[in-house]
Amino acid sequence: FLSALGPDIPMDWGRPWWPVDASLRAWADAMLKHRRPVGVAVGGGLPERTWPLHQMLPVVQKLLEQGETVCLLGDRRAQPAAARLRNGLPAEQLIDVTGRTSLRQAAAVLSRCRLLGGPDSGLMQLAAAVGLDDLQQDFGDGRTVGHDGILSSQNASAAKADVVGGQACCRP
């Protein structure tokens, strides 16, 4: 499967790592207006892994009040939620790339973010693989949790990430 994504995807299973080449990094910098935003993963792939809008909105509002730029990330299924989230928020501080990136482009955007918050999802795993230091997972039930996959405290690439274990009904 990984070899289909390109020859530069490492097959070293000792640690997750996703290379971001210079051209994609430059594309991401332009897309992000040369800012280092806080990434917010909108959607979680499954309804039970999706961060509810009523919980996400106050977090995004607080980030914006503190002068942060927020980048909304997700696939096409997350676009309606991202649109509802954007409603009434200052457009100059929001960058919405939901449904507008390939997997490689999403990796490049994540590599330029200062941190990522959101549900346990492929984006969270990808963020760890591109070396993002600060990751905050939420399963949508109000508890912040991690899991024993890529984002394990024993994993060298995620050593800088705070991973909190917990039991949630949707935990893998």
Side-chain angles (χ1 to χ4, degrees):
F1 171 76
L2 289 177
S3 63
L5 296 174
D8 58 346
I9 302 299
M11 298 305 231
D12 172 11
W13 300 108
R15 65 179 183 92
W17 174 70
W18 187 283
V20 177
D21 67 41
S23 64
L24 278 174
R25 198 176 329 263
W27 174 88
D29 282 339
M31 177 69 80
L32 298 174
K33 303 170 188 170
H34 300 281
R35 300 177 189 170
R36 295 288 311 255
V38 173
V40 173
V42 181
L46 299 171
E48 60 271 17
R49 288 192 177 200
T50 298
W51 199 9
L53 194 59
H54 72 275
Q55 291 178 351
M56 190 183 327
L57 181 59
V59 173
V60 171
Q61 287 173 323
K62 186 70 169 176
L63 289 166
L64 296 173
E65 287 170 10
Q66 294 175 352
E68 296 286 353
T69 297
V70 173
C71 179
L72 305 177
L73 297 112
D75 61 17
R76 283 188 206 113
R77 296 171 295 177
Q79 286 179 313
R84 287 191 305 276
L85 186 61
R86 284 192 325 265
N87 190 26
L89 295 176
E92 65 277 1
Q93 288 176 265
L94 280 172
I95 301 168
D96 184 1
V97 300
T98 56
R100 298 176 28 215
T101 61
S102 68
L103 189 58
R104 288 181 177 273
Q105 290 169 330
V109 168
L110 287 167
S111 76
R112 308 317 283 161
C113 289
R114 288 190 317 100
L115 61 96
L116 177 68
D120 178 40
S121 64
L123 282 174
M124 194 64 65
Q125 306 298 326
L126 189 55
V130 299
L132 193 60
D133 291 343
D134 295 312
L135 307 169
Q136 179 70 44
Q137 291 184 323
D138 187 285
F139 271 107
D141 64 358
R143 290 177 286 169
T144 303
V145 298
H147 63 83
D148 298 323
I150 290 176
L151 292 180
S152 167
S153 58
Q154 291 86 22
N155 191 300
S157 71
K160 296 178 186 175
D162 289 327
V163 179
V164 179
Q167 293 298 322
C169 62
C170 58
R171 181 179 172 174

